[in-house]
mmCIF file of all heavy atoms in Angstrom:
data_model
loop_
_atom_site.group_PDB
_atom_site.id
_atom_site.type_symbol
_atom_site.label_atom_id
_atom_site.label_comp_id
_atom_site.label_asym_id
_atom_site.label_seq_id
_atom_site.Cartn_x
_atom_site.Cartn_y
_atom_site.Cartn_z
ATOM 1 N N ARG W 5 -0.045 9.469 -2.219
ATOM 2 C CA ARG W 5 -0.644 9.462 -3.456
ATOM 3 C C ARG W 5 -0.640 10.849 -4.070
ATOM 4 O O ARG W 5 -1.082 11.773 -3.378
ATOM 5 C CB ARG W 5 -1.959 8.695 -3.546
ATOM 6 C CG ARG W 5 -1.897 7.275 -3.220
ATOM 7 C CD ARG W 5 -3.308 6.774 -3.428
ATOM 8 N NE ARG W 5 -4.254 7.333 -2.381
ATOM 9 C CZ ARG W 5 -4.978 6.726 -1.600
ATOM 10 N NH1 ARG W 5 -5.169 5.299 -1.862
ATOM 11 N NH2 ARG W 5 -5.752 7.284 -0.774
ATOM 12 N N ASP W 15 -15.903 11.301 -22.395
ATOM 13 C CA ASP W 15 -17.239 10.784 -22.120
ATOM 14 C C ASP W 15 -17.735 11.428 -20.770
ATOM 15 O O ASP W 15 -19.109 11.788 -20.874
ATOM 16 C CB ASP W 15 -17.243 9.253 -21.850
ATOM 17 C CG ASP W 15 -16.999 8.470 -23.147
ATOM 18 O OD1 ASP W 15 -17.190 9.104 -24.218
ATOM 19 O OD2 ASP W 15 -16.842 7.369 -23.002
ATOM 20 N N ASP W 18 -18.689 15.083 -21.852
ATOM 21 C CA ASP W 18 -19.837 14.998 -22.786
ATOM 22 C C ASP W 18 -21.079 14.873 -21.922
ATOM 23 O O ASP W 18 -22.055 15.443 -22.170
ATOM 24 C CB ASP W 18 -19.826 13.935 -23.777
ATOM 25 C CG ASP W 18 -18.701 14.319 -24.887
ATOM 26 O OD1 ASP W 18 -18.227 15.409 -25.037
ATOM 27 O OD2 ASP W 18 -18.349 13.192 -25.571
ATOM 28 N N PHE W 19 -21.156 13.923 -20.987
ATOM 29 C CA PHE W 19 -22.281 13.845 -20.094
ATOM 30 C C PHE W 19 -22.647 15.094 -19.369
ATOM 31 O O PHE W 19 -23.854 15.430 -19.442
ATOM 32 C CB PHE W 19 -22.040 12.717 -19.044
ATOM 33 C CG PHE W 19 -23.074 12.614 -18.117
ATOM 34 C CD1 PHE W 19 -24.187 11.904 -18.344
ATOM 35 C CD2 PHE W 19 -22.976 13.273 -16.780
ATOM 36 C CE1 PHE W 19 -25.168 11.737 -17.295
ATOM 37 C CE2 PHE W 19 -23.825 13.205 -15.863
ATOM 38 C CZ PHE W 19 -25.044 12.426 -16.053
ATOM 39 N N LEU W 35 -20.852 16.303 -8.694
ATOM 40 C CA LEU W 35 -19.574 16.302 -8.149
ATOM 41 C C LEU W 35 -18.702 15.284 -9.005
ATOM 42 O O LEU W 35 -19.287 14.429 -9.872
ATOM 43 C CB LEU W 35 -19.696 15.539 -6.904
ATOM 44 C CG LEU W 35 -20.508 16.288 -5.658
ATOM 45 C CD1 LEU W 35 -20.454 15.591 -4.375
ATOM 46 C CD2 LEU W 35 -19.838 17.754 -5.525
ATOM 47 N N GLU W 40 -7.337 6.626 -10.711
ATOM 48 C CA GLU W 40 -6.006 6.781 -11.023
ATOM 49 C C GLU W 40 -5.676 6.725 -12.540
ATOM 50 O O GLU W 40 -6.239 5.702 -13.128
ATOM 51 C CB GLU W 40 -5.311 5.619 -10.333
ATOM 52 C CG GLU W 40 -5.147 5.855 -8.832
ATOM 53 C CD GLU W 40 -4.316 4.831 -8.102
ATOM 54 O OE1 GLU W 40 -3.367 4.201 -8.754
ATOM 55 O OE2 GLU W 40 -4.693 4.509 -6.854
ATOM 56 N N THR W 54 -13.403 10.597 -14.190
ATOM 57 C CA THR W 54 -14.170 9.599 -14.934
ATOM 58 C C THR W 54 -15.739 9.567 -14.663
ATOM 59 O O THR W 54 -16.318 9.024 -15.520
ATOM 60 C CB THR W 54 -13.715 8.089 -14.542
ATOM 61 O OG1 THR W 54 -13.730 8.011 -13.045
ATOM 62 C CG2 THR W 54 -12.197 7.971 -14.974
ATOM 63 N N TYR W 67 -30.092 30.844 -11.241
ATOM 64 C CA TYR W 67 -29.033 31.617 -10.673
ATOM 65 C C TYR W 67 -28.217 30.837 -9.682
ATOM 66 O O TYR W 67 -27.086 31.293 -9.334
ATOM 67 C CB TYR W 67 -29.514 32.830 -9.912
ATOM 68 C CG TYR W 67 -30.512 33.698 -10.812
ATOM 69 C CD1 TYR W 67 -31.747 33.528 -10.648
ATOM 70 C CD2 TYR W 67 -29.997 34.425 -11.986
ATOM 71 C CE1 TYR W 67 -32.745 34.173 -11.476
ATOM 72 C CE2 TYR W 67 -30.941 35.085 -12.776
ATOM 73 C CZ TYR W 67 -32.212 35.052 -12.579
ATOM 74 O OH TYR W 67 -33.023 35.727 -13.387
ATOM 75 N N VAL W 83 -12.891 14.365 -6.526
ATOM 76 C CA VAL W 83 -11.875 15.218 -6.752
ATOM 77 C C VAL W 83 -12.312 16.766 -7.108
ATOM 78 O O VAL W 83 -11.480 17.635 -7.247
ATOM 79 C CB VAL W 83 -11.036 14.818 -8.051
ATOM 80 C CG1 VAL W 83 -10.384 13.507 -7.710
ATOM 81 C CG2 VAL W 83 -11.939 14.718 -9.265
ATOM 82 N N PRO W 96 -15.978 32.072 -11.949
ATOM 83 C CA PRO W 96 -16.709 31.676 -10.656
ATOM 84 C C PRO W 96 -17.088 33.032 -9.885
ATOM 85 O O PRO W 96 -16.366 33.910 -10.017
ATOM 86 C CB PRO W 96 -15.559 31.022 -9.797
ATOM 87 C CG PRO W 96 -14.263 31.276 -10.303
ATOM 88 C CD PRO W 96 -14.489 31.743 -11.743
ATOM 89 N N ASP W 98 -18.596 34.678 -6.317
ATOM 90 C CA ASP W 98 -18.219 34.549 -4.844
ATOM 91 C C ASP W 98 -18.794 33.365 -4.215
ATOM 92 O O ASP W 98 -18.113 32.626 -3.403
ATOM 93 C CB ASP W 98 -18.569 35.922 -4.189
ATOM 94 C CG ASP W 98 -17.765 37.098 -4.459
ATOM 95 O OD1 ASP W 98 -16.613 36.864 -5.130
ATOM 96 O OD2 ASP W 98 -18.178 38.194 -4.224
ATOM 97 N N ILE W 111 -15.169 22.793 -12.232
ATOM 98 C CA ILE W 111 -15.423 22.999 -13.736
ATOM 99 C C ILE W 111 -16.824 23.837 -13.749
ATOM 100 O O ILE W 111 -17.795 23.507 -13.152
ATOM 101 C CB ILE W 111 -15.637 21.711 -14.548
ATOM 102 C CG1 ILE W 111 -14.290 20.949 -14.595
ATOM 103 C CG2 ILE W 111 -15.952 22.106 -15.942
ATOM 104 C CD1 ILE W 111 -14.389 19.684 -15.280
ATOM 105 N N ASP W 121 -17.237 25.340 -24.372
ATOM 106 C CA ASP W 121 -17.962 26.099 -23.431
ATOM 107 C C ASP W 121 -17.917 25.756 -21.972
ATOM 108 O O ASP W 121 -18.819 25.526 -21.189
ATOM 109 C CB ASP W 121 -19.451 26.257 -23.832
ATOM 110 C CG ASP W 121 -19.652 26.779 -25.074
ATOM 111 O OD1 ASP W 121 -19.009 27.693 -25.370
ATOM 112 O OD2 ASP W 121 -20.597 26.389 -25.737
ATOM 113 N N TRP W 122 -16.585 25.595 -21.483
ATOM 114 C CA TRP W 122 -16.333 25.196 -20.241
ATOM 115 C C TRP W 122 -14.836 25.718 -19.784
ATOM 116 O O TRP W 122 -14.014 26.009 -20.574
ATOM 117 C CB TRP W 122 -16.454 23.785 -19.861
ATOM 118 C CG TRP W 122 -15.486 22.914 -20.748
ATOM 119 C CD1 TRP W 122 -15.457 22.614 -21.961
ATOM 120 C CD2 TRP W 122 -14.193 22.385 -20.199
ATOM 121 N NE1 TRP W 122 -14.376 21.842 -22.264
ATOM 122 C CE2 TRP W 122 -13.643 21.557 -21.260
ATOM 123 C CE3 TRP W 122 -13.610 22.287 -18.957
ATOM 124 C CZ2 TRP W 122 -12.374 20.934 -21.058
ATOM 125 C CZ3 TRP W 122 -12.351 21.730 -18.842
ATOM 126 C CH2 TRP W 122 -11.786 20.979 -19.882
ATOM 127 N N ASP W 126 -8.811 25.796 -10.098
ATOM 128 C CA ASP W 126 -8.325 25.243 -8.874
ATOM 129 C C ASP W 126 -9.113 25.735 -7.690
ATOM 130 O O ASP W 126 -10.058 26.477 -7.788
ATOM 131 C CB ASP W 126 -6.774 25.579 -8.656
ATOM 132 C CG ASP W 126 -6.569 27.039 -8.382
ATOM 133 O OD1 ASP W 126 -7.375 27.820 -8.033
ATOM 134 O OD2 ASP W 126 -5.291 27.345 -8.629
ATOM 135 N N GLN W 127 -8.712 25.394 -6.446
ATOM 136 C CA GLN W 127 -9.484 25.589 -5.242
ATOM 137 C C GLN W 127 -9.584 27.141 -4.967
ATOM 138 O O GLN W 127 -10.551 27.541 -4.313
ATOM 139 C CB GLN W 127 -8.768 25.096 -4.019
ATOM 140 C CG GLN W 127 -8.937 23.485 -4.008
ATOM 141 C CD GLN W 127 -8.017 22.882 -2.910
ATOM 142 O OE1 GLN W 127 -6.800 23.110 -2.783
ATOM 143 N NE2 GLN W 127 -8.745 22.005 -2.054
ATOM 144 N N GLU W 130 -8.528 30.074 -9.600
ATOM 145 C CA GLU W 130 -7.600 30.389 -10.694
ATOM 146 C C GLU W 130 -7.810 29.337 -11.853
ATOM 147 O O GLU W 130 -7.935 28.181 -11.638
ATOM 148 C CB GLU W 130 -6.148 30.352 -10.193
ATOM 149 C CG GLU W 130 -5.829 31.389 -9.173
ATOM 150 C CD GLU W 130 -5.910 32.823 -9.692
ATOM 151 O OE1 GLU W 130 -5.560 33.091 -10.820
ATOM 152 O OE2 GLU W 130 -6.540 33.623 -8.919
ATOM 153 N N VAL W 131 -7.818 29.869 -13.043
ATOM 154 C CA VAL W 131 -8.010 28.984 -14.245
ATOM 155 C C VAL W 131 -6.803 27.919 -14.196
ATOM 156 O O VAL W 131 -5.688 28.321 -13.940
ATOM 157 C CB VAL W 131 -7.906 29.811 -15.587
ATOM 158 C CG1 VAL W 131 -7.899 28.930 -16.706
ATOM 159 C CG2 VAL W 131 -9.238 30.731 -15.517
ATOM 160 N N ASP W 135 -6.771 18.551 -19.328
ATOM 161 C CA ASP W 135 -6.796 17.902 -20.636
ATOM 162 C C ASP W 135 -7.970 17.088 -20.781
ATOM 163 O O ASP W 135 -8.538 16.370 -19.762
ATOM 164 C CB ASP W 135 -5.588 16.875 -20.806
ATOM 165 C CG ASP W 135 -4.234 17.688 -20.879
ATOM 166 O OD1 ASP W 135 -4.291 18.952 -21.303
ATOM 167 O OD2 ASP W 135 -3.253 17.137 -20.527
ATOM 168 N N ASP W 140 -10.891 4.616 -22.256
ATOM 169 C CA ASP W 140 -11.907 3.634 -22.184
ATOM 170 C C ASP W 140 -12.433 3.437 -20.804
ATOM 171 O O ASP W 140 -11.660 3.105 -19.845
ATOM 172 C CB ASP W 140 -11.377 2.190 -22.669
ATOM 173 C CG ASP W 140 -11.217 2.241 -24.217
ATOM 174 O OD1 ASP W 140 -11.888 2.985 -24.811
ATOM 175 O OD2 ASP W 140 -10.342 1.442 -24.663
ATOM 176 N N THR W 151 -16.780 -8.835 -6.391
ATOM 177 C CA THR W 151 -16.740 -9.787 -5.345
ATOM 178 C C THR W 151 -16.092 -9.203 -4.130
ATOM 179 O O THR W 151 -15.596 -8.066 -4.219
ATOM 180 C CB THR W 151 -15.789 -10.960 -6.035
ATOM 181 O OG1 THR W 151 -14.416 -10.463 -6.142
ATOM 182 C CG2 THR W 151 -16.361 -11.456 -7.229
ATOM 183 N N ASP W 154 -12.707 -7.947 -4.944
ATOM 184 C CA ASP W 154 -12.599 -6.519 -5.582
ATOM 185 C C ASP W 154 -12.791 -5.514 -4.496
ATOM 186 O O ASP W 154 -12.061 -4.443 -4.639
ATOM 187 C CB ASP W 154 -13.771 -6.462 -6.635
ATOM 188 C CG ASP W 154 -13.857 -7.491 -7.745
ATOM 189 O OD1 ASP W 154 -12.569 -7.820 -8.244
ATOM 190 O OD2 ASP W 154 -14.764 -7.853 -8.228
ATOM 191 N N ILE W 155 -13.669 -5.683 -3.432
ATOM 192 C CA ILE W 155 -13.757 -4.809 -2.551
ATOM 193 C C ILE W 155 -12.530 -4.526 -1.651
ATOM 194 O O ILE W 155 -12.056 -3.612 -1.392
ATOM 195 C CB ILE W 155 -15.044 -5.127 -1.470
ATOM 196 C CG1 ILE W 155 -16.220 -5.120 -2.274
ATOM 197 C CG2 ILE W 155 -15.013 -4.252 -0.263
ATOM 198 C CD1 ILE W 155 -17.490 -5.728 -1.495
ATOM 199 N N ASP W 156 -11.984 -5.723 -1.387
ATOM 200 C CA ASP W 156 -10.648 -5.645 -0.586
ATOM 201 C C ASP W 156 -9.529 -4.995 -1.338
ATOM 202 O O ASP W 156 -8.891 -4.165 -0.793
ATOM 203 C CB ASP W 156 -10.154 -7.116 -0.253
ATOM 204 C CG ASP W 156 -11.060 -7.847 0.715
ATOM 205 O OD1 ASP W 156 -11.897 -7.139 1.448
ATOM 206 O OD2 ASP W 156 -10.988 -9.061 0.835
#
Side-chain angles (χ1 to χ4, degrees):
R5 290 184 294 227
D15 288 345
D18 289 344
F19 171 83
L35 299 179
E40 288 183 27
T54 55
Y67 311 103
V83 295
D98 289 341
I111 297 173
D121 295 324
W122 64 280
D126 65 16
Q127 290 174 306
E130 297 297 319
V131 173
D135 294 334
D140 289 328
T151 66
D154 296 327
I155 294 169
D156 293 342

